Amino acid sequence: VTVTGPCSAAELGSTLPFEHVVAWSMQSRHRPPSDVEEAALRDAPITLQTLSAVREKPLVNLANLTGPQEDVAAAEVEAFARVGGRAIVSASVPGAGGACSASCLASLCRRTKLRVIMTVGWASARELPPPPPDDEAEDPALDSLLRSLLEGEEDGSGGAAVRAGALGVLPLTPGHARLLEVLAAAHVRSGAPLFCSLPAGGAASADAAESSGAAAVASLDALSAAGVDMRRVIVAHAQTLLGAPAALRALLATGARR
């Protein structure tokens, strides 16, 4: 399901599977500087001189966490279309940290003629609605996800409702048990693919990568135990485990897509 309506896999064609092209601001993910060099990097513009440092520490630089204006985003999407691109998965949850709304995504699709698959969820467990007091009551968080996936929301243009086509993004780190539970339940009820992510900044050492990989596998095992079809789970930033081959092999063994 795309924001402009259902389509077949063949119609999607060449697809960018995990992009933040319309995330106006992700500064809620900013990591404060830990030394003088990082303090300088925090406020630096992105130039050829700073690009290497920004790529090494993407969550420190504020400019890297602020998306372009809509005209710039549209131009970048159109450049992808000119080389054969047909679709993009927007991994920025609408409304989280200033991310683009569903209506904004629909507008971008109309301007560029590309298809966009919108994810729905929460940026962190802190943003989740509280669980119901009664175990037998419907969970408001689950209800919200299912409405976005099955019914959608008006985009303000008078057209059809905009539906999400995927769930996420679940951080594969400790401390997200309720988020995992709600996303897993929504997947089981809807069949929607579920996007997960390892920490984008990577691990500082092989030991840290092993630890990160073990935490990711534990979360993926929990998804499987909850009834999630692991063939419909996509893990982003798996390249951060390249320095820990055993951890990467364990992640691959879960059956999740990379």
Side-chain angles (χ1 to χ4, degrees):
V1 175
T2 73
V3 298
T4 50
C7 71
S8 67
E11 289 178 290
L12 282 181
S14 180
T15 301
L16 291 177
F18 192 88
E19 299 299 325
H20 297 291
V21 66
V22 288
W24 303 147
S25 174
M26 297 176 63
Q27 293 190 10
S28 61
R29 297 181 61 193
H30 176 246
R31 179 173 69 78
S34 60
D35 54 38
V36 173
E37 289 185 359
E38 289 191 353
L41 181 62
R42 177 189 59 196
D43 300 313
I46 299 177
T47 65
L48 286 176
Q49 288 71 34
T50 62
L51 186 57
S52 176
V54 170
R55 285 176 171 169
E56 182 180 351
K57 299 177 179 179
L59 301 184
V60 172
N61 181 260
L62 290 174
N64 190 51
L65 298 176
T66 302
Q69 296 299 312
E70 186 174 343
D71 287 346
V72 176
E76 292 179 349
V77 169
E78 286 166 349
F80 171 56
R82 286 195 295 272
V83 296
R86 301 271 297 279
I88 295 175
V89 177
S90 174
S92 300
V93 179
C100 190
S101 64
S103 61
C104 172
L105 288 173
S107 172
L108 189 69
C109 287
R110 288 192 291 268
R111 290 182 61 172
T112 64
K113 308 305 181 185
L114 261 73
R115 297 182 182 272
V116 174
I117 298 170
M118 180 176 72
T119 54
V120 64
W122 293 271
S124 73
R126 295 189 303 272
E127 299 175 9
L128 271 169
D134 184 345
D135 289 342
E136 296 184 1
E138 284 291 329
D139 189 327
L142 177 58
D143 286 347
S144 173
L145 293 178
L146 293 175
R147 281 197 303 273
S148 293
L149 290 165
L150 304 178
E151 300 174 17
E153 63 179 80
E154 298 298 326
D155 70 354
S157 69
V162 176
R163 289 171 57 192
L167 292 157
V169 175
L170 174 66
L172 296 178
T173 53
H176 298 282
R178 171 154 162 74
L179 183 58
L180 185 153
E181 177 186 354
V182 172
L183 290 172
H187 163 85
V188 170
R189 294 270 293 269
S190 67
L194 172 56
F195 283 81
C196 305
S197 178
L198 286 153
S205 66
D207 287 345
E210 291 284 357
S211 177
S212 176
V217 168
S219 294
L220 293 171
D221 286 345
L223 288 174
S224 180
V228 170
D229 180 352
M230 300 306 290
R231 297 170 300 176
R232 298 183 66 77
V233 175
I234 303 93
V235 177
H237 304 303
Q239 75 277 6
T240 61
L241 298 182
L242 288 174
L248 186 56
R249 284 193 293 269
L251 187 146
L252 295 173
T254 66
R257 309 293 178 177
R258 283 68 55 200

